[in-house]
Amino acid sequence: MYTFIVILCIVVCVLLGLIVLVQNSKGGGLAANFSAPTQVMGVRQTADFLEKATWWLVGILVVLSLMAPIVNHNQNGKPKRTEQVQQQQNAGNTQQGGNSTAEY
């Protein structure tokens, strides 16, 4: 599931980059190509669509970014990396005599 979310994040980032590159801050860009009044989508509708698409993709990216660490946890509620480190420490403690308490 984590891999799926990471792939979705990458796809959203690519789409977001493309949409931002198509836009022009002065009203040009892709919207300038659709300036004929007989077009179904005129200049203003194209600019509105690109702006709305940008905001939607940013929102989706934020949600996916917040979901990724939550999904990365295993069933115990600990990150997988922490569990591996604890297993290595436990293995080291058993090799040293089985006493897991430290003396100070």
Side-chain angles (χ1 to χ4, degrees):
M1 184 69 176
Y2 178 73
T3 306
F4 179 69
I5 290 178
V6 170
I7 291 171
L8 281 178
C9 283
I10 292 170
V11 169
V12 168
C13 286
V14 169
L15 289 174
L16 187 60
L18 290 174
I19 287 181
V20 168
L21 288 174
V22 166
Q23 294 178 8
N24 188 355
S25 61
K26 296 181 181 179
L30 181 66
N33 295 333
F34 297 112
S35 60
T38 59
Q39 293 286 337
V40 175
M41 288 182 62
V43 176
R44 188 65 196 151
Q45 286 83 12
T46 303
D48 287 343
F49 170 75
L50 292 174
E51 183 178 350
K52 287 179 184 179
T54 302
W55 282 109
W56 272 100
L57 287 173
V58 168
I60 291 169
L61 185 61
V62 167
V63 170
L64 288 174
S65 298
L66 292 175
M67 282 178 50
I70 295 170
V71 172
N72 195 24
H73 287 275
N74 63 2
Q75 294 178 353
N76 295 333
K78 298 178 184 175
K80 293 178 182 178
R81 178 75 179 144
T82 304
E83 183 178 309
Q84 290 173 354
V85 170
Q86 287 177 350
Q87 288 174 354
Q88 290 173 354
Q89 288 174 348
N90 291 340
N93 287 339
T94 56
Q95 290 175 355
Q96 294 175 357
N99 189 359
S100 62
T101 60
E103 295 179 18
Y104 294 100

